[in-house]
Amino acid sequence: MVSGKDWADATMQFDKLDFMLLAELCTNARRSHVELSERVGLSTTACARRLKSLEDSVIAGYHASLDLKQLGLGTTVVVRISLESQSEEALEAFEKAVIESPSVVRCFLMSGSDDYLVTVIARDIEDFERIHKTQLSRLPKVSRIQSSFALREVVNRIAPPAAFQQWRAPRRP
Amino acid sequence: MVSGKDWADATMQFDKLDFMLLAELCTNARRSHVELSERVGLSTTACARRLKSLEDSVIAGYHASLDLKQLGLGTTVVVRISLESQSEEALEAFEKAVIESPSVVRCFLMSGSDDYLVTVIARDIEDFERIHKTQLSRLPKVSRIQSSFALREVVNRIAPPAAFQQWRAPRRP
DNA sequence: TTTCTTTGGGAACTCCAATCCGCATCGACC
DNA sequence: GGTCGATGCGGATTGGAGTTCCCAAAGAAA
């Protein structure tokens, strides 16, 4: 680290066109090369070339997002979980079990007093009670579980808009 | 509601093949019809037909997911925000501003003592300080902000595996 | 049985994506 | 200034994918 700005190294390899492509793909991953090229003002060939290099570096994958309400899964619950011990074995055992839990969509190891922040998707409140009993309370080494229900989803984005808003000089001046 | 199981109505319209397709698309949204048909054991035509009907109903969209660390955005912060008032105007003003905040990726209106749970993506801790000053503390009607840093991401899924694991009788017995 | 409905499969057509090639621009170096 | 290599764009071609017909098979209802 020279300047104290590591991230500059990371983002400097991309220019405005790359970020335009990334933004397009984040909102609609199934756009054809033709559509993409029209939107960013490039030929389909150049577009495909950039796309490939982005896929080799910064694009982790392409995913379909589902309307979970239509699948009967309309309830999001955020669960704060503290463990009895913070030993490596305890963390490892807990995490292994969380990954296996079929109702969990997100789990972060957190700083502060709560050890883990887990997001659970349930059909409804009664279904969450079942999940709590059959999945959460059976997680190993848990000392405290604290659940909060999400009443409404205000924002849900793949990436922050800020990610697309800084770029180095264009490749061609 | 007859039986107390609303969700049965919602999920009953899909069978095992549909859920197999959905699971495939959630892990890789760019699979061709050929690949999909091979994986679920259908012809490409039948596959495409089911796909179209799924896109018209339960598939909300296709998104590229980015390796945010490679973009220099390696820090996830979960922020609990309480408002001065719970009036409709306060909520509305706050939400409008949150949606505009370029570093926010998720925001839920919560039950319990904390009004909103907001997930922020930052470059690093110093960058979060900047975001805190320039974005979070400027949100309207905020009374308390409490931040927790995510030390590690343990699970991050588009949909819970449980969503794919129950289906009605196959369309063709 | 006849008919209608639903779903799967095949063939043809259209269009897209991947690749090869040539061209333009920039920088380094002699 | 001239040359060489590196980098990036664009055009044309070809193999493959997606789409759209049409028909077949299996139940359900009359």
Side-chain angles (χ1 to χ4, degrees), chain A residues 81-85 115 140-145:
Chain A
I81 296 181
S82 304
L83 300 194
E84 297 165 359
S85 119
D115 293 322
K141 311 277 187 181
V142 167
S143 76
R144 203 184 67 203
I145 301 181

Side-chain angles (χ1 to χ4, degrees), chain A residues 7 10-11 14 19 22 25-31 51 55 57-68 70-73 76 78 80 95 98-99 101-111 114 116-117 121 123 148-164 166, chain B residues 7 10-11 14 19 22 25-31 51 55 57-68 70-73 76 78 80 95 98-99 101-111 114 116-117 121 123 148-164 166:
Chain A
W7 56 266
T11 56
F14 306 114
F19 281 112
L22 289 179
L25 289 171
C26 280
T27 58
N28 184 355
R30 288 218 142 179
R31 273 194 218 291
L51 205 55
E55 283 169 352
S57 60
V58 77
I59 294 179
Y62 298 102
H63 306 283
S65 70
L66 308 182
D67 185 343
L68 290 174
Q70 285 215 36
L71 288 176
L73 295 165
T76 301
V78 177
R80 299 202 280 262
E95 290 177 15
V98 156
I99 293 171
S101 285
S103 297
V104 169
V105 290
R106 262 185 299 278
C107 172
F108 290 105
L109 173 64
M110 302 299 291
S111 71
D114 300 311
Y116 286 97
L117 197 65
I121 304 289
R123 300 190 186 283
S148 307
F149 285 81
L151 304 176
R152 187 154 39 83
E153 183 180 292
V154 180
V155 177
N156 196 354
R157 289 197 264 250
I158 301 282
F164 308 118
Q166 274 198 346
Chain B
W7 55 266
T11 56
F14 306 114
F19 282 111
L22 289 179
L25 290 171
C26 281
T27 57
N28 184 354
R30 288 214 143 180
R31 273 195 216 292
L51 206 54
E55 283 169 353
S57 60
V58 77
I59 294 178
Y62 298 102
H63 307 284
S65 70
L66 308 183
D67 184 344
L68 290 175
Q70 286 216 34
L71 288 175
L73 295 166
T76 301
V78 177
R80 298 202 280 264
E95 291 178 14
V98 156
I99 293 171
S101 285
S103 297
V104 169
V105 290
R106 262 185 298 279
C107 172
F108 289 105
L109 172 65
M110 301 299 291
S111 70
D114 301 310
Y116 286 97
L117 199 65
I121 303 288
R123 300 191 185 282
S148 309
F149 285 81
L151 304 177
R152 188 154 40 82
E153 183 181 291
V154 180
V155 176
N156 195 354
R157 289 197 263 251
I158 300 282
F164 307 119
Q166 274 199 346

Side-chain angles (χ1 to χ4, degrees), chain A residues 4 12 26 37 96 138 141 149 161 168:
Chain A
M12 260 179 63
C26 280
S37 62
K96 193 160 175 295
R138 288 181 189 171
K141 311 277 187 181
F149 285 81
R168 73 166 173 84

Side-chain angles (χ1 to χ4, degrees), chain B residues 42 91 97 108 131 143 150:
Chain B
L42 237 58
L91 299 188
F108 289 105
I131 293 167
S143 76

Side-chain angles (χ1 to χ4, degrees), chain B residues 17-73:
Chain B
L17 290 173
D18 289 319
F19 282 111
M20 287 175 72
L21 286 173
L22 289 179
E24 286 295 331
L25 290 171
C26 281
T27 57
N28 184 354
R30 288 214 143 180
R31 273 195 216 292
S32 68
H33 292 180
V34 178
E35 280 180 302
L36 288 172
S37 62
E38 285 168 357
R39 283 168 178 267
V40 305
L42 237 58
S43 75
T44 59
T45 312
C47 215
R49 236 189 327 250
R50 279 169 178 267
L51 206 54
K52 176 151 180 44
S53 110
L54 290 173
E55 283 169 353
D56 290 340
S57 60
V58 77
I59 294 178
Y62 298 102
H63 307 284
S65 70
L66 308 183
D67 184 344
L68 290 175
K69 275 189 191 172
Q70 286 216 34
L71 288 175
L73 295 166

